[in-house]
């Protein structure tokens, strides 16, 4: 018999209470946080959808693997298990552990880039972009045009625009030290990249003599999308597809806080001996010895176990379905979201939902803050605050103003997700009363993490009471 309901493929062995607050408490907490939800105390949040990064629940097998951690400074047994699992998965010769994804990015880019270089990607994630720009290089987004239209349905909106990539390599190839693709494409809505597109990007890069690197944070979700949507791939296992994805590339950066199913960790992996040596030398300077790279032995054990579990089909089926379930509820009620739903998150098109708030008054922040005050749900702006500041200090509207509801792995049940949907719909019903914000103070890089905001006063012309004459 085949059942329609896709259930959580686990039972719960240990629970953590969440705190209920009332609206005045949340308003006070948000004011004290400078209207930036990154600055809230997590305990003042009821459902935390800020990120899916490092917020997942580890399995009993992962918790027990912690006890096997070998904390030797050099040559730890846990490193060799970690290395073996990563090598089997990716096929890359060199595996360099890092404390999280951005450390892998920093080491890779500091080793391979010089000022004036350019790194193409479908869409760079914020830390990837910042780590490229800090080297004086340009982070170029070359996602297909369909990937820039939130409501448009396309099975692989994370695909790289092959024509644009070829033109770039022809015209500025001397300044392109590597080509990247992010799977799935977080900044573009958690959208997958097809196997055909990955093959074509790898071919193009190699034809021009460039290495091809994956930003592989959500490789397992991407592999499952390929299985479900790429014609001819439905009979393959997610593991077989992931193997092929990695083997098209020359290396990858990886944050184990996503599809490593761990709370911390990452790695940089590659085939080239020379780059690997230079990267390891830099690793020793800032992260640690090459067999621990800023992680404890027990972290390496948890990641090794997580990388095995993440490719299990019941897990991936539930993971993608629970995200889609939230998306369906919002879309059915008319809330504009990036379609189709991505793997790890639902992205609300805040620019479309709040047309009365211009991009430079941050409609995403207005929506994020309303969701928190209304329901205690924490989400995140992915828009003009995150991407609008140019290296020269000027500010422009980002390509999209999105609000991301990122779903931690194996943490929330269907009733939590029903509550989130109800909260979004309550805010959406009253959306014309939401106001924009202005920035009071902000850092020059990655400003969204620490900026302070102030709500803009209501526009007297718009909000004047109706005349009674
Ligand atoms: C696509 C992508 N790349 C890189 C990173 C950076 O990883 P980390 O947060 O572990 O530094 C993230 C984190 O969200 C991401 O989504």
């Amino acid at each position: 018999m085949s059942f329609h309901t896709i259930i959580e493929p686990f039972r719960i062995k240990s629970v953590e209470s969440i705190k209920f607050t009332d609206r005045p408490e949340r308003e006070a907490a948000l004011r004290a946080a400078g209207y930036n939800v990154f600055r809230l105390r997590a305990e003042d949040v009821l459902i935390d959808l800020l990120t899916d990064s490092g917020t997942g629940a580890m399995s009993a097998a992962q918790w027990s693997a912690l006890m096997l951690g070998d904390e030797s400074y050099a040559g730890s047994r846990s490193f060799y298990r970690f290395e073996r699992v990563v090598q089997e998965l990716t096929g890359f010769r060199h595996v360099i552990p890092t404390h999280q994804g951005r450390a892998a990015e920093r080491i890779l880019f500091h080793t391979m880039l010089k000022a004036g270089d350019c790194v193409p990607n479908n869409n760079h994630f914020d830390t990837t972009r910042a780590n490229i720009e800090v080297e004086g290089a340009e982070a170029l987004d070359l996602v297909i045009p369909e990937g820039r239209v939130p409501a448009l349905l396309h099975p692989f909106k994370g695909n790289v625009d092959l024509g644009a990539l070829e033109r770039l390599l022809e015209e500025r190839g001397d300044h392109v030290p590597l080509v990247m693709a992010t799977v799935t494409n977080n900044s573009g809505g958690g959208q997958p990249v097809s196997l055909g597109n990955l093959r074509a990007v790898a071919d193009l890069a190699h034809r021009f003599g460039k290495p091809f690197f994956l930003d592989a944070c959500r490789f397992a979700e991407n592999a499952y999308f390929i299985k479900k949507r790429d014609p001819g791939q439905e009979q393959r296992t997610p593991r077989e597809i992931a193997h092929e994805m990695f083997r098209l590339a020359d290396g990858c950066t990886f944050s184990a806080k996503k599809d490593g199913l761990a709370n911390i960790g990452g790695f940089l992996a590659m085939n080239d001996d020379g780059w690997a040596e230079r990267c390891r030398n830099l690793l020793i300077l800032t992260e640690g010895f090459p067999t621990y790279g800023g992680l404890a032995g027990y972290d390496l054990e948890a990641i090794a176990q997580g990388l095995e579990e993440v490719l299990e089909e019941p897990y991936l089926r539930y993971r993608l379905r629970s995200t889609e379930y939230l998306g369906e509820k919002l879309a059915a009620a008319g809330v504009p979201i990036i379609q189709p739903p991505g793997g790890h998150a639902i992205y609300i098109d805040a620019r479309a939902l709040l047309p009365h708030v211009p991009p430079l008054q941050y409609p995403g922040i207005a929506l994020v803050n309303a969701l928190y005050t209304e329901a205690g749900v924490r989400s995140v702006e992915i828009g003009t605050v995150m991407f609008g500041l140019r290296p020269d200090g000027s500010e422009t509207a980002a390509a999209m103003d999105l609000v991301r509801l990122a779903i931690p792995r194996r943490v929330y049940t269907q009733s939590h997700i029903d509550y989130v949907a109800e909260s979004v719909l309550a805010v959406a019903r009253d959306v014309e009363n939401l106001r924009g914000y202005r920035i009071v103070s902000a850092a020059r890089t990655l400003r969204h993490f620490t900026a302070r905001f102030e709500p803009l006063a209501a526009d007297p012309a718009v909000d004047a009471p109706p005349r009674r004459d």
Side-chain angles (χ1 to χ4, degrees):
M1 189 188 294
S2 88
F3 287 90
H4 176 67
T5 310
I6 295 172
I7 61 167
E8 287 87 357
F10 49 80
R11 54 187 181 178
I12 296 165
K13 184 175 275 197
S14 174
V15 297
E16 186 182 7
S17 298
I18 48 180
K19 186 172 111 187
F20 288 82
T21 50
D22 58 25
R23 179 185 269 272
E25 286 170 334
R26 292 193 291 272
E27 282 169 352
L30 194 58
R31 202 176 316 115
Y35 297 95
N36 183 346
V37 293
F38 277 104
R39 305 180 78 109
L40 287 171
R41 283 174 180 258
E43 64 181 2
D44 292 333
V45 174
L46 185 66
I47 306 274
D48 204 346
L49 307 185
L50 183 72
T51 175
D52 64 321
S53 177
T55 52
M58 291 209 294
S59 66
Q62 283 178 292
W63 282 110
S64 46
L66 297 190
M67 284 307 293
L68 301 175
D70 173 356
E71 304 305 337
S72 305
Y73 187 95
S76 132
R77 185 185 57 239
S78 302
F79 170 74
Y80 291 111
R81 176 183 179 201
F82 169 84
E83 184 187 51
R84 177 180 52 75
V85 169
V86 176
Q87 281 175 337
E88 277 171 15
L89 171 66
T90 66
F92 298 132
R93 241 192 328 274
H94 301 282
V95 180
I96 301 172
T98 58
H99 80 273
Q100 63 183 97
R102 69 198 67 185
E105 292 162 4
R106 197 193 75 81
I107 290 169
L108 177 70
F109 297 140
H110 193 69
T111 303
M112 294 188 70
L113 302 189
K114 57 182 184 336
D117 280 346
C118 170
V119 182
N121 202 333
N122 39 7
N123 284 110
H124 290 275
F125 186 64
D126 61 353
T127 58
T128 324
R129 173 175 298 283
N131 274 300
I132 290 171
E133 289 176 351
V134 87
E135 301 296 334
E138 185 190 357
L140 195 63
D141 291 339
L142 294 183
V143 74
I144 52 170
E146 293 88 334
R148 299 178 200 270
V149 188
L152 194 94
L153 282 171
H154 182 288
F156 292 104
K157 282 172 93 172
N159 280 355
V160 176
D161 182 336
L162 298 170
L165 178 61
E166 186 163 12
R167 274 193 302 283
L168 176 80
L169 291 168
E170 272 163 4
E171 289 163 15
R172 293 172 64 190
D174 290 349
H175 296 284
V176 178
L178 75 159
V179 172
M180 290 190 82
T182 303
V183 291
T184 57
N185 188 22
N186 187 5
S187 303
Q191 299 292 320
V193 183
S194 73
L195 201 51
N197 190 257
L198 288 174
R199 287 178 186 143
V201 173
D203 280 352
L204 256 179
H206 294 152
R207 180 143 64 79
F208 283 84
K210 309 293 176 191
F212 171 42
F213 271 68
L214 287 175
D215 176 339
C217 294
R218 298 178 181 82
F219 73 95
E221 291 171 11
N222 201 94
Y224 199 65
F225 274 121
I226 287 175
K227 179 178 170 69
K228 299 307 279 181
R229 296 184 185 168
D230 231 346
Q233 298 300 318
E234 54 286 333
Q235 297 307 326
R236 298 175 79 190
T237 63
R239 185 176 299 277
E240 285 165 347
I241 296 169
H243 277 191
E244 181 174 348
M245 286 165 51
F246 281 114
R247 279 157 185 78
L248 291 168
D250 303 285
C252 74
T253 54
F254 181 70
S255 166
K257 301 172 75 174
K258 285 84 172 174
D259 278 352
L261 297 181
N263 300 125
I264 194 70
F267 62 79
L268 173 61
M270 62 189 71
N271 284 328
D272 188 275
D273 299 338
W275 301 331
E277 190 185 332
R278 287 165 60 205
C279 288
R280 279 203 185 96
N281 289 339
L282 192 54
L283 181 90
I284 293 173
L285 199 63
T286 57
E287 291 277 300
F289 191 74
T291 59
Y292 73 87
L295 294 170
Y298 54 70
D299 295 321
L300 294 168
E301 293 283 348
I303 298 167
Q305 178 63 29
L307 286 171
E308 303 282 5
E309 292 175 13
V310 77
L311 285 163
E312 287 167 9
E313 234 173 294
Y315 163 74
L316 284 169
R317 188 185 314 122
Y318 135 83
R319 170 78 179 148
L320 267 49
R321 176 59 198 147
S322 49
T323 308
E324 186 183 49
Y325 173 80
L326 175 59
E328 280 172 6
K329 288 204 147 200
L330 301 190
V335 175
I337 61 166
I338 291 198
Q339 290 281 18
H344 67 293
I346 293 301
Y347 294 68
I348 301 173
D349 184 349
R351 199 174 285 172
L353 188 63
L354 285 73
H356 57 290
V357 179
L360 293 184
Q361 292 180 12
Y362 316 127
I365 296 293
L367 184 57
V368 164
N369 288 348
L371 262 175
Y372 175 69
T373 36
E374 178 73 26
V377 173
R378 178 157 68 168
S379 54
V380 69
E381 189 250 26
I382 306 230
T384 300
V385 174
M386 192 179 270
F387 294 119
L389 189 65
R390 301 285 117 211
D392 67 2
S394 63
E395 197 182 26
T396 51
M400 297 190 257
D401 275 296
L402 305 173
V403 166
R404 186 184 72 181
L405 303 163
I407 314 214
R409 292 168 179 77
R410 308 189 288 204
V411 169
Y412 293 119
T413 62
Q414 188 169 338
S415 62
H416 290 117
I417 298 296
D418 287 338
Y419 174 87
V420 171
E422 207 181 324
S423 319
V424 175
L425 300 194
V427 170
R429 268 196 298 277
D430 204 22
V431 83
E432 9 359 294
N433 291 323
L434 298 186
R435 301 276 156 228
Y437 282 79
R438 73 175 196 92
I439 290 181
V440 179
S441 62
R444 286 294 293 266
T445 48
L446 299 175
R447 63 178 179 168
H448 52 289
F449 287 128
T450 53
R452 286 184 174 273
F453 300 88
E454 202 171 69
L456 289 168
D459 180 346
V462 176
D463 296 318
R467 289 174 54 185
R468 291 177 185 277
D469 54 2

